[in-house]
């Protein structure tokens, strides 16, 4: 029986890259989830347009996929907003950032949990940042949301029918990152294709119930205290986001 690959954020650069990889191989039924139609559709992909925060709409549209016929479901979750929070920003967690990163996944996981109870195999692939462990104050809501997502995924993986891969990346060369930091030096930003190449084996063939992967582009001038010097980090990002 075929495996079904479901990719959220299918209209984005990374989502497109994962779908391209699978579209060039046999044995997979491909579904791309997105709120908008992609500029260029990947061949052999069934696109479903929805908002992952609207659980009623989600249940209705996902039920049409007839997931029961597949031996294994692989869900690659690429939805999740980022926000740079200024020094004067609120100390509270931004709910929009949390919902975008966490609630969207939980809504999908709730759908899959019913299938797991019927002995279906599910693989989750989620994404965080290599900076999550450093608690950078300027993207606190994003970091805390990713930590909660990581906790949820790890907990779900205690079920013998669920296997999970959590990929921590450095900055990926996507349209959203380009818009956020238009003046940054992008020489050592990750190409989406490299993220796919470094994670795909664990996603398809991995044996661990839960595993974390760090994927980054080595920078020759990188120093270990990069994430610890918050003032320098703040000044750098401000220059990259708005020159002058």
């Amino acid at each position: 029986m075929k495996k079904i690959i479901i990719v959220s954020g299918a209209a984005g650069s990374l989502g497109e890259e994962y779908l391209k990889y699978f579209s060039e191989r046999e044995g997979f039924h491909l579904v791309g989830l997105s709120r908008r139609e992609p500029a260029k559709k990947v061949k052999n992909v069934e696109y479903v347009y929805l908002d992952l925060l609207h659980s009623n709409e989600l249940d209705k549209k996902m039920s049409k996929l007839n997931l029961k016929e597949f031996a294994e479901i692989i869900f690659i979750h690429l939805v999740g907003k980022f926000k740079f929070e200024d020094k004067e920003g609120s100390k509270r967690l931004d709910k929009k950032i949390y919902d975008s990163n966490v609630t969207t996944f939980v809504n999908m996981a709730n759908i899959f949990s019913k299938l797991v109870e019927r002995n279906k195999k599910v693989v989750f692939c989620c994404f965080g940042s290599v900076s999550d462990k450093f608690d950078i104050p300027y993207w606190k809501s994003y970091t805390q949301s990713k930590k909660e997502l990581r906790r949820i995924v790890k907990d779900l993986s205690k079920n013998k029918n669920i296997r999970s891969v959590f990929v921590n990346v450095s900055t990926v060369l996507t349209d959203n990152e380009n818009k956020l930091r238009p003046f940054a030096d992008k020489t050592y930003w990750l190409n989406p294709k490299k993220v796919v190449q470094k994670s795909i084996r664990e996603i398809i063939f991995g044996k661990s119930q839960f595993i974390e992967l760090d994927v980054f582009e080595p920078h020759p001038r990188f120093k270990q205290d990069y994430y610890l010097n918050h003032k320098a980090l703040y000044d750098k990002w401000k220059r990259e986001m708005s020159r002058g």
Side-chain angles (χ1 to χ4, degrees):
M1 294 175 72
K2 277 188 175 182
K3 296 181 180 181
I4 185 170
I5 312 294
I6 302 174
V7 178
S8 65
S13 304
L14 197 47
E16 179 185 8
E17 203 60 52
Y18 273 104
L19 288 170
K20 280 182 180 177
Y21 176 90
F22 287 110
S23 72
E24 295 167 358
R25 288 155 179 84
E26 295 182 354
F28 302 105
H29 180 79
L30 306 180
V31 176
L33 307 182
S34 178
R35 289 187 300 176
R36 59 183 173 86
E37 187 171 340
K40 185 179 179 181
K41 291 185 177 180
V42 178
K43 65 179 181 179
N44 302 322
V45 175
E46 177 182 357
Y47 286 93
V48 179
Y49 304 110
L50 46 68
D51 189 328
L52 298 184
L53 290 175
H54 297 164
S55 55
N56 290 337
E57 175 192 10
L58 183 59
D59 287 341
K60 184 177 179 180
K61 292 193 174 182
M62 290 299 293
S63 66
K64 295 179 181 178
L65 294 177
N66 195 19
L67 298 174
K68 297 176 186 176
E69 69 179 90
F70 299 99
E72 184 174 76
I73 301 160
I74 297 177
F75 177 49
I76 301 175
H77 186 54
L78 291 163
V79 171
K81 291 181 180 177
F82 175 90
K83 181 181 180 181
F84 185 86
E85 297 170 297
D86 208 299
K87 291 178 181 178
E88 305 302 321
S90 170
K91 292 183 179 180
R92 289 186 175 183
L93 206 65
D94 188 304
K95 189 176 185 302
K96 288 184 178 179
I97 300 300
Y98 180 89
D99 284 342
S100 174
N101 285 279
V102 181
T103 306
T104 51
F105 173 79
V106 171
N107 286 345
M108 287 296 293
N110 286 339
I111 291 174
F112 299 136
S113 65
K114 300 169 187 175
L115 298 167
V116 169
E117 290 171 2
R118 296 170 186 162
N119 225 30
K120 292 288 184 182
K121 302 292 184 181
V122 176
V123 178
F124 291 130
C125 180
C126 293
F127 293 78
S129 169
V130 293
S131 72
D132 289 345
K133 67 186 77 171
F134 296 97
D135 292 317
I136 310 302
Y138 311 120
W139 48 87
K140 176 179 82 297
S141 295
Y142 179 81
T143 296
Q144 294 308 314
S145 296
K146 290 299 186 184
K147 285 187 174 183
E148 177 63 6
L149 177 61
R150 193 179 280 103
R151 184 197 66 77
I152 291 170
V153 172
K154 194 171 185 177
D155 191 54
L156 287 170
S157 303
K158 292 175 183 177
N159 187 303
K160 64 182 178 62
N161 290 324
I162 296 176
R163 185 169 60 79
S164 299
V165 181
F166 207 99
V167 185
N168 302 309
V169 297
S170 56
T171 306
V172 182
L173 191 57
T174 64
D175 290 340
N176 286 337
E177 285 291 349
N178 275 316
K179 289 175 184 176
L180 177 65
R181 299 158 68 189
F183 303 107
D185 177 3
K186 302 173 179 64
T187 305
Y188 297 100
W189 284 17
L190 270 172
N191 186 297
K193 185 173 287 187
K194 182 171 183 177
V195 179
V196 174
Q197 291 171 343
K198 292 291 185 180
S199 61
I200 205 70
R201 185 169 183 81
E202 278 294 340
I203 294 172
I204 301 174
F205 303 112
K207 300 298 182 183
S208 301
Q209 288 297 110
F210 176 85
I211 190 170
E212 287 197 57
L213 305 175
D214 286 350
V215 181
F216 55 92
E217 197 66 62
H219 195 300
R221 296 189 300 279
F222 179 81
K223 295 181 179 179
Q224 292 298 319
D225 64 350
Y226 174 76
Y227 290 115
L228 302 178
N229 189 336
H230 291 170
K231 183 181 184 307
L233 196 62
Y234 176 84
D235 292 342
K236 176 178 179 288
W237 271 66
K238 278 295 187 179
R239 290 194 303 271
E240 292 176 344
M241 290 189 296
S242 179
R243 183 171 288 168

